[in-house]
Structure formats: C-alpha cells, structure tokens
Amino acid sequence: MHGTVDGFSYGIVTPVVAFLMACLGGALGLRCTARSLRTERSFKAGWLALGATSIGSGIWTMHFIAMMGFTVRQEVLSYDRGITFASLGLAIVMVGIGIFIVGYRGATPMALVTGGTITGLGVASMHYLGMAGIRLHGQFEYNTLTVSLSVVIAVVAATAALWAAVSVNGFLASLGASVVMGLAVSGMHYTGMAALSVHLHEGAGPSAGESPATVLAPMLIGPVAFLVLAGVVVMFDPLVVMGRPDWEKRPPRPAPVPRHLPSFPEPTAWSARHQPGEGSSSPHDW
C-alpha cells in the first residue's frame, strides 16, 4: 500500500524558514573560508573548521526544519536520534574536507572542482542519511533519475558558492554566495523529496505518537545556538564581513604641519657647502 505524502503540512512556513537557515549557515561558512585565505597560517585551520561546522549545521538545520512539514497521512513518523545526529556529523566532516581543500590550495580550478564536489556530496549524503533515520511501518522508495539530479544540483551549486566565496570580495558578493548555497541545499532537498514514495506494510495504520515538529524541535536547539554564536564571531571580525577593513582601503593621510611653528626656506646648494663643520672656519674661530 502506498502512503500519501505531504511535504508542506505547515504551508510555506517551513520551506522559507529552512531556506533562511541554509543561507545563514552558508554565509557564515563561506565568509570564514574567505577569511582563512587572508590570515596567518596558524589561524587558517581554526577559521576553516568554524566555516565547515557552520555550513554543516546550516545544512542539517535546513533539512530538519523542512522535515517538520513532512507527513505520511496513514502513518505517524518517528526519528532515530543516533542516525539523525550521525547525519549532522557526516555533513560537517564532508563539508570540512571540501573547504580545507579550497582553503589550503586556493581558488585554483582543480581545488574548486574537488572541494565543490565533496561539499555537494556531503549535502546529499546528509539528506539521505537523515531520511534513513525516519521510522515507520513501511519503507521509502526512490526514483534513481531524480536522486541523481538532486546530487548534481548539490555539487554544481556548492562549487559555484565556493568559487564566489574565495574569488570575489565584499559584502554583496558574500551575500550572493550564501543565497547560492541556500538554493543548493534547498533545491537538493526538495528534489530528493520529489524522488520519494512511501510503501506501507499491509495492515499498518496510524498509531498514536508525537508530531514531527514536537520530535525534531528539541534536536534543533544545539545547532541553531551554534549558528547564532558563529554569527557573533563573524560580526566582530571586519575581514569576515567586508573582505578588507576600511583602514586598509584608504591611503594614509599625511600628518598635518602645526601652524604655530615657523617655516624655513629650503637650504640652497651654496649654503649647504658653507655650513660650519669639520675642516671649515666659523666666526668663533677668528
């Protein structure tokens, strides 16, 4: 028996909030990646780790906020907490590998393609592992072609976002890159959900249980709190927000000359040759 799937139980609310969380995580992570390229080598790993954790947390938060609106009409869903949090760790690790490649190799075509591919695969892997953590009296079935399309969307968009993050400076560029990253995650998620069909076991029926929002909300507290703290760190570093601080963009102004000091004419060549010194006579020597 096929289950009736509804991915928008709360209307447009969950897709919009999920997209904004993906943009937030992407903005923080990509700006930290850009910051790592302009910092000393001893701090590079710290910025890259913060960026990877921000993007991974944003991806994971986006997915499960969107999943709050996912229901199967004939079944009450539950979530395996171990697999659910394992998908968060997987996202952070795979995104971290991609970001560290770009952070240490720079914006070379090979580094961007490799890093973007691994980052995109991390987005897709997190999605499908998170879906594997759903418990119901039945099983999920996927359309292979649509799943492949979702993976391609994630890889292409993640590569484009990494390129924008490390190649273009400024607030607007970073904002555009974060939107691209948000579109990558959201587009991959809903394309993957479009590939899904639910096959319920015979005799299965709705059972008592909590709603997906009630189950997932407590698990989202930690990653959301981390994104807020990462946002505070980014706000206090001008290189992360603007690319370069304002005092580096303006040429240094010459020091003003005090008006109360008298000005003297420049010495002429004759006066320079006749200054008192060694081997010369002065009025006091007469």
Side-chain angles (χ1 to χ4, degrees):
M1 179 177 65
H2 285 281
T4 304
V5 175
D6 183 5
F8 304 94
S9 300
Y10 296 99
I12 199 174
V13 174
T14 49
V16 170
V17 175
F19 171 73
L20 292 177
M21 293 305 298
C23 289
L24 174 61
L28 297 176
L30 294 175
R31 293 311 295 158
C32 288
T33 303
R35 178 67 173 90
S36 72
L37 300 178
R38 302 180 179 90
T39 191
E40 297 179 3
R41 194 171 185 86
S42 57
F43 294 99
K44 184 184 292 289
W47 282 111
L48 292 174
L50 180 61
T53 309
S54 298
I55 294 178
S57 298
I59 293 169
W60 189 87
T61 303
M62 177 273 152
H63 173 84
F64 284 104
I65 288 178
M67 291 304 294
M68 287 183 177
F70 175 76
T71 58
V72 179
R73 188 169 301 173
Q74 299 87 349
E75 183 69 21
V76 175
L77 306 179
S78 62
Y79 289 82
D80 184 294
R81 294 179 181 272
I83 296 179
T84 299
F85 284 113
S87 65
L88 172 61
L90 178 65
I92 293 174
V93 170
M94 292 197 68
V95 170
I97 295 173
I99 283 181
F100 268 76
I101 290 174
V102 174
Y104 279 94
R105 295 295 182 181
T108 63
M110 181 60 68
L112 287 172
V113 171
T114 305
T117 299
I118 296 175
T119 301
L121 291 177
V123 175
S125 300
M126 178 270 128
H127 173 87
Y128 290 108
L129 181 58
M131 294 299 295
I134 298 177
R135 296 290 176 258
L136 75 165
H137 297 98
Q139 61 184 14
F140 291 148
E141 297 175 351
Y142 293 95
N143 179 278
T144 304
L145 182 61
T146 310
V147 169
S148 301
L149 177 61
S150 71
V151 176
V152 171
I153 291 173
V155 170
V156 172
T159 304
L162 286 178
W163 173 85
V166 300
S167 301
V168 185
N169 296 325
F171 177 77
L172 292 179
S174 63
L175 181 63
S178 67
V179 171
V180 171
M181 195 70 185
L183 290 174
V185 179
S186 299
M188 184 274 138
H189 174 86
Y190 286 106
T191 303
M193 296 305 291
L196 174 70
S197 61
V198 180
H199 181 77
L200 298 176
H201 298 321
E202 293 295 334
S207 57
E210 298 177 316
S211 66
T214 304
V215 174
L216 293 173
M219 292 189 283
L220 291 168
I221 295 175
V224 171
F226 171 81
L227 289 175
V228 172
L229 292 175
V232 172
V233 173
V234 168
M235 289 176 60
F236 281 96
D237 192 316
L239 276 178
V240 174
V241 179
M242 303 301 295
R244 292 178 62 192
D246 291 338
W247 59 81
E248 288 187 4
K249 296 179 182 179
R250 297 191 298 264
R253 297 175 59 183
V257 178
R259 296 184 177 181
H260 65 277
L261 295 178
S263 59
F264 298 96
E266 295 292 332
T268 62
W270 182 89
S271 61
R273 291 196 302 268
H274 293 79
Q275 290 294 326
E278 294 182 3
S280 63
S281 62
S282 67
H284 298 287
D285 298 329
W286 296 348

